[in-house]
Amino acid sequence: MPSLLVRNGRIVTASESYDADLFVDAGRVALIGEGLSLPADTVLDASGCLVLPGGVDVHTHLDMPAGDITSADDFETGTRAAAFGGTTTIVDFATPEPGESLFAALGKWRRKAEGRAVVDYGFHMALREVGGTTLAEMAQLTRDEGVTSFKLYLAYPGVLQVDDAAFFAALLGARACGALTLVHAENGGVIDVLVKRALARGETAPRQHALTRPPGTEAEAVARAIALAALADAPLYVVHLSCAAALAHVIAARDRGQAVAAETCPQYLFLSRDEYDRPGFEGAGYVMSPPLREAADQEALWRGLASGDLQVVATDHCPFTLADKARGRDDFSKIPNGAPGIETRMLLLWDGGVRAGRIDAQRFVELTAAAPARAFGLWPRKGTIAVGSDADLVIWDPERETRLAAATLHMRVDYNPYEGRVVRGGPAAVVSRGEVIVERGEWKGAAGRGRFLKRAHRSPQPA
Ligand SMILES: [Zn+2]
């Protein structure tokens, strides 16, 4: 395996920033020091740049079926776009069909990724039901397969939603095997009533998506999930938290000493409910769940990221083309939920977070790489720059300018929620396990080079 020397950069991890060179051998960081002059197959000059750990995005939906359509990026296009944006590890979701075993679902998702993914990847397992063999399968997946986190939905009745009994049983099961429970926290029953009432009034436009999923439906579900996790004495991770009211419950739980963590996503920091008032059917491109919120929510989320009340920024990357979105033209509830974001997460968070003075560069690394790696059993292999860690690196040029546009970004979807926005700060080069895969905006990586990551679990806590 070729060696690599990165010279003249400033290394930034979640805990330190310092000037040093870095030598990579066999895909791992072998040596960090000043003025290294070892012979190497490749030399990258990082003058004027920061050297960051590759980004870790723990919330993606690649090649995901949604009824009779599929999310627009597969594991090749999606992970390549991730790499262009500085992300070198993803954790996607495997979702079983109703009645399908978790092992069968994992096999199916691993086959989707194998030979296609160009960066390393792991899987969370979604649970539609918690039945006879579920707990045994959870234990085996956690212990033997490196699938150490399980996601349940409190929304989407009749499709993915579970009741309190199933959610509570899953929390107990996860605790017993040392896994982490993820929750999509929206009250699906209440939303269903609001959707039916809106449609009965003849209100069918995309803006109804936000009006029928008000912040209270998220806050209630977050509070309930936290209460059930406390009853189970199990750790909880809240995905895509979007509003101040929900964040308040997370803060209160953490203040009580409960093991609750939460992620938010760039769309909730940079976009607001106003997008749904775009002309015609354009608002459909912003239909995602939870929906976009208000400026006051954005401010609360930024405060949470700066203070530590929010721990992770992931993407919930789940793109659908405008043609697929159009199936909800006459009924907002039929618009497939989701938007692209896997490529723009770090660009947006650097520009709007670090450059805007809301967070510093170390906090940026914490939110985009270190914290997600720790939460999901990938640390210290991923998420930091240290001797022995995988050489997943981003040579980050703070002056590099990118105009966000569907035509020039690499996600396989025909619109971009941030179309036309110019951001400063981005990858001059991206390295995955010692291989330069992106350099000056050009793809250099080999197809299918990504590897499945078996993730570590926590200590099992027998009942
Ligand atoms: Zn999601």
Side-chain angles (χ1 to χ4, degrees):
M1 226 179 165
S3 57
L4 169 72
L5 181 64
V6 181
R7 301 187 57 211
N8 306 322
R10 182 168 183 79
I11 295 174
V12 181
T13 68
S15 56
E16 307 165 287
S17 309
Y18 57 99
D19 296 327
D21 298 344
L22 188 155
F23 183 72
V24 174
D25 192 31
R28 294 181 179 217
V29 177
L31 201 58
I32 300 173
E34 285 178 59
L36 296 184
S37 58
L38 292 84
D41 300 303
T42 308
V43 178
L44 282 179
D45 182 11
S47 299
C49 291
L50 306 173
V51 182
L52 312 178
V56 178
D57 185 353
V58 292
H59 192 154
T60 68
H61 299 280
L62 302 176
D63 203 354
M64 186 196 77
D68 58 341
I69 55 173
T70 306
S71 60
D73 271 314
D74 63 19
F75 278 83
E76 183 178 347
T77 64
T79 55
R80 196 171 52 218
F84 272 109
T87 291
T88 53
T89 301
I90 65 161
V91 185
D92 202 270
F93 291 89
T95 306
E97 297 296 324
E100 186 181 39
S101 86
L102 306 185
F103 278 91
L106 177 62
K108 196 182 284 177
W109 254 265
R110 286 195 62 174
R111 284 191 294 280
K112 287 173 193 260
E114 264 155 26
R116 292 199 184 87
V118 297
V119 301
D120 294 348
Y121 56 94
F123 290 107
H124 312 284
M125 180 62 62
L127 301 178
R128 286 174 181 271
E129 55 218 336
V130 182
T133 61
T134 308
L135 297 183
E137 282 197 279
M138 285 171 71
Q140 216 180 328
L141 285 171
T142 301
R143 195 180 57 231
D144 302 332
E145 305 297 328
V147 174
T148 59
S149 44
F150 297 89
K151 179 186 184 186
L152 297 100
Y153 292 78
L154 304 183
Y156 306 125
V159 188
L160 288 161
Q161 185 171 323
V162 298
D163 62 14
D164 288 351
F167 184 57
F168 187 61
L171 283 162
L172 290 174
R175 173 181 188 268
C177 64
L180 178 61
T181 303
L182 284 65
V183 65
H184 174 129
E186 289 183 295
N187 186 317
V190 169
I191 290 165
D192 206 34
V193 170
L194 295 174
V195 167
K196 285 184 174 131
R197 284 161 58 103
L199 291 173
R201 291 193 302 267
E203 293 173 20
T204 61
R207 73 170 58 84
Q208 293 297 324
H209 177 72
L211 296 174
T212 56
R213 307 177 94 91
T217 59
E218 181 182 354
E220 185 281 331
V222 167
R224 178 160 37 105
I226 287 171
L228 295 174
L231 279 170
D233 192 18
L236 180 71
Y237 180 94
V238 180
V239 300
H240 53 44
L241 188 135
S242 75
C243 62
L247 178 57
H249 292 300
V250 171
I251 294 172
R254 291 172 63 87
D255 286 350
R256 291 193 298 269
Q258 198 178 333
V260 177
E263 79 183 15
T264 191
C265 312
Q267 53 270 33
Y268 303 117
L269 299 167
F270 292 97
L271 301 171
S272 80
R273 237 175 70 170
D274 297 346
E275 306 293 348
Y276 298 116
D277 293 325
R278 284 168 172 261
F281 191 61
E282 269 182 49
Y286 298 84
V287 167
M288 60 188 82
S289 294
L292 300 174
R293 304 296 191 188
E294 310 211 25
D297 295 298
Q298 296 177 351
E299 282 311 311
L301 298 178
W302 278 115
R303 276 198 303 278
L305 292 177
S307 66
D309 289 331
L310 275 170
Q311 291 74 46
V312 171
V313 176
T315 63
D316 197 12
H317 175 77
C318 189
F320 292 100
T321 62
L322 292 174
D324 284 341
K325 291 277 187 184
R327 55 186 56 212
R329 190 170 282 283
D330 302 317
D331 175 351
F332 70 91
S333 72
K334 294 196 167 64
I335 300 170
N337 277 216
I342 202 167
E343 186 172 0
T344 48
R345 175 181 69 134
M346 294 171 74
L347 303 174
L348 286 162
L349 196 68
W350 183 274
D351 186 68
V354 180
R355 263 176 48 82
R358 288 172 154 134
I359 54 173
D360 65 16
Q362 286 178 204
R363 183 74 187 149
F364 173 85
V365 170
E366 170 76 13
L367 292 166
T368 58
R374 276 197 304 270
F376 291 101
L378 293 165
W379 177 277
R381 184 173 169 194
K382 307 292 190 188
T384 193
I385 298 174
V387 171
S389 292
D390 280 357
D392 290 2
L393 310 167
V394 186
I395 313 304
W396 190 267
D397 178 355
E399 300 305 323
R400 187 183 175 85
E401 231 175 53
T402 310
R403 187 176 168 278
L404 305 182
T408 46
L409 290 167
H410 302 84
M411 298 174 282
R412 192 167 63 186
V413 62
D414 52 1
Y415 77 100
N416 190 274
Y418 309 93
E419 188 75 29
R421 186 187 289 249
V422 176
V423 290
R424 186 170 289 188
V430 179
V431 176
S432 165
R433 278 182 279 100
E435 296 173 23
V436 179
I437 58 172
V438 175
E439 198 171 8
R440 281 182 230 95
E442 267 181 56
W443 180 249
K444 307 266 180 184
R449 59 171 299 287
R451 288 188 196 153
F452 174 67
L453 295 165
K454 281 194 173 187
R455 296 179 292 115
H457 58 76
R458 294 148 191 253
S459 314
Q461 304 284 319

